[in-house]
Amino acid sequence: LRHVITDVQSVHTWMMERSNGVSQTHPLLQELRGILALLKSTNREVADGDYHLVPLCETLERVLRTGLKQPNSLFGLNKQDYWSWIEPLQDYYFNQKQNPLLRQLVSQIANSPKLHTPQGRGRCFIRRALCQKLISVPVEHLAANKRLTSYWYGTDHSIVGDPLLIKELMSILFEVTEIDFQLDVNHCSFLDETWIIPVYMSVSLQPVRELGVKVGHTDHRVLITEVDKDSMAYQAGIQPGYMLDELCGETVYNFAGGKLKHILERNAESTDIVVVKQNLPDGCPFHPILRRQQLAANQTSPISPATESRIHSGVPQL
């Protein structure tokens, strides 16, 4: 909400200045240039945890959302996002040479079982495109197709749809590709909710029928509520409050306890587990887990039907 209010105020000021011939650039592009200058000044590769990484990604996202139209969105349903045009972009190439790396990247993201919303897929694309130096490619191809550009973006308030601003944006994106990004592109389960990448822990145990943990199912996720101190899970460092992300190579999302037990029972070689810790490296709580812990704690209190539908009662033993 803070970003939305700031963007509206900044754009209003920019439009007034532009109409008076004072300013030709856009406040979001100015912000993007400022972040880019800070990243380049460090003269090192950018990794997760870099202070300027999230602001860069957030600003890129706001740029791509500014002036984005909502075709085929009846009464606000089926809301479109920038991923909505990035995904099918390869189908609109005419005389342009297709980029096989871009096609492969888009296909991998579209088929990932860890991503469930256009927002999550778009964010995953931005992160992986930064690493592969492809961040300018989809914008470049969209801008080359004026009909497609006008389908997705207006000209009054957008950056991508403005003939002058798109050139400045492309110049910035080309500069971004000069920076080396080394990001964790495998762990993307929470990009649907946040740009923050939490702390993941992977453990491999001997084949077991029971992990010795109790879990709760809250808002599509599996939260570890208890860990038996005599279990291999405890010895491996798994603690209550962690969230189960993968079990034996399968992404755990909307999984009931019975399905989790079935995965354990059919596993013969090893029990591989990926969990998400409840705290970030600086000790602050990871908000998506904290929110689910609070939801789970409210099971004993009167809750609304909407909240109740997101919480599965009971604590299955794994």
Side-chain angles (χ1 to χ4, degrees), residues 271-284:
T271 302
D272 299 320
I273 308 167
V274 178
V275 295
V276 180
K277 295 186 177 182
Q278 58 187 330
N279 291 329
L280 298 171
D282 60 3
C284 293

Side-chain angles (χ1 to χ4, degrees), residues 213-226 242-244 247 252-263 288-289 291-297 299 303 307-318:
V213 303
K214 289 184 178 180
V215 298
H217 301 81
T218 306
D219 197 10
H220 308 294
R221 303 283 184 177
V222 177
L223 188 66
I224 297 172
T225 57
E226 296 181 32
Y242 288 6
M243 189 159 288
L244 187 61
L247 181 61
V252 177
Y253 185 84
N254 263 351
F255 272 28
K259 189 169 184 179
L260 293 173
K261 287 185 177 181
H262 176 67
I263 293 175
I289 291 183
R291 181 177 65 82
R292 286 173 172 85
Q293 290 173 337
Q294 294 170 341
L295 279 173
Q299 290 187 77
I303 55 179
T307 303
E308 189 171 20
S309 67
R310 299 199 303 270
I311 301 177
H312 300 267
S313 61
V315 281
Q317 177 82 41
L318 293 183

Side-chain angles (χ1 to χ4, degrees), residues 9-302:
Q9 294 172 340
S10 300
V11 170
H12 177 72
T13 303
W14 165 71
M15 290 181 66
M16 293 290 291
E17 293 177 348
R18 194 179 193 189
S19 64
N20 294 327
V22 177
S23 175
Q24 290 297 320
T25 189
H26 191 284
L28 282 177
L29 295 181
Q30 292 177 329
E31 185 175 340
L32 198 55
R33 281 199 180 278
I35 298 170
L36 179 59
L38 291 171
L39 284 171
K40 294 177 74 172
S41 67
T42 62
N43 197 30
R44 64 172 186 269
E45 68 179 24
V46 178
D48 286 306
D50 189 288
Y51 183 78
H52 304 295
L53 176 62
V54 171
L56 172 69
C57 293
E58 287 179 338
T59 307
L60 283 171
E61 182 172 73
R62 289 155 63 197
V63 166
L64 295 177
R65 283 178 172 168
T66 299
L68 182 66
K69 294 180 181 179
Q70 293 295 316
N72 303 320
S73 179
L74 185 62
F75 303 117
L77 301 175
N78 189 31
K79 188 174 181 180
Q80 307 293 313
D81 208 346
Y82 55 95
W83 172 256
S84 303
W85 64 260
I86 290 177
E87 182 180 10
L89 185 62
Q90 301 279 324
D91 299 331
Y92 292 94
Y93 281 35
F94 294 105
N95 296 323
Q96 297 168 278
K97 184 178 179 181
Q98 294 192 13
N99 188 311
L101 294 178
L102 178 63
R103 176 176 287 277
Q104 181 183 40
L105 176 58
V106 169
S107 176
Q108 290 172 348
I109 294 173
N111 294 300
S112 172
K114 297 184 178 183
L115 302 164
H116 309 281
T117 65
Q119 173 169 282
R121 293 186 178 95
R123 289 176 172 181
C124 185
F125 176 83
I126 287 177
R127 285 175 54 86
R128 295 186 62 170
L130 287 173
C131 293
Q132 296 186 34
K133 300 185 182 297
L134 295 172
I135 193 65
S136 64
V137 176
V139 179
E140 184 179 12
H141 285 300
L142 181 69
N145 189 326
K146 291 182 172 52
R147 186 173 180 180
L148 192 60
T149 302
S150 63
Y151 180 79
W152 285 104
Y153 289 94
T155 56
D156 294 336
H157 305 290
S158 75
I159 295 173
V160 177
D162 186 288
L164 295 178
L165 295 179
I166 186 64
K167 293 180 180 179
E168 183 179 356
L169 173 61
M170 288 304 306
S171 174
I172 296 173
L173 294 180
F174 286 143
E175 287 189 58
V176 172
T177 60
E178 297 174 0
I179 301 175
D180 292 326
F181 291 84
Q182 295 294 330
L183 310 180
D184 182 353
V185 297
N186 295 316
H187 296 137
C188 56
S189 302
F190 287 94
L191 289 176
D192 292 312
E193 304 176 49
T194 177
W195 277 108
I196 303 297
I197 303 299
V199 179
Y200 287 81
M201 183 175 77
S202 301
V203 298
S204 184
L205 309 176
Q206 295 179 358
V208 293
R209 291 296 182 91
E210 292 185 359
L211 289 177
V213 303
K214 289 184 178 180
V215 298
H217 301 81
T218 306
D219 197 10
H220 308 294
R221 303 283 184 177
V222 177
L223 188 66
I224 297 172
T225 57
E226 296 181 32
V227 182
D228 187 345
K229 291 187 177 181
D230 295 324
S231 67
M232 295 177 64
Y234 181 84
Q235 296 173 9
I238 296 176
Q239 301 177 16
Y242 288 6
M243 189 159 288
L244 187 61
D245 188 59
E246 292 183 24
L247 181 61
C248 300
E250 292 197 35
T251 298
V252 177
Y253 185 84
N254 263 351
F255 272 28
K259 189 169 184 179
L260 293 173
K261 287 185 177 181
H262 176 67
I263 293 175
L264 285 176
E265 290 172 355
R266 77 185 186 195
N267 182 54
E269 297 182 358
S270 65
T271 302
D272 299 320
I273 308 167
V274 178
V275 295
V276 180
K277 295 186 177 182
Q278 58 187 330
N279 291 329
L280 298 171
D282 60 3
C284 293
F286 181 52
H287 185 265
I289 291 183
L290 176 62
R291 181 177 65 82
R292 286 173 172 85
Q293 290 173 337
Q294 294 170 341
L295 279 173
N298 288 336
Q299 290 187 77
T300 56
S301 305

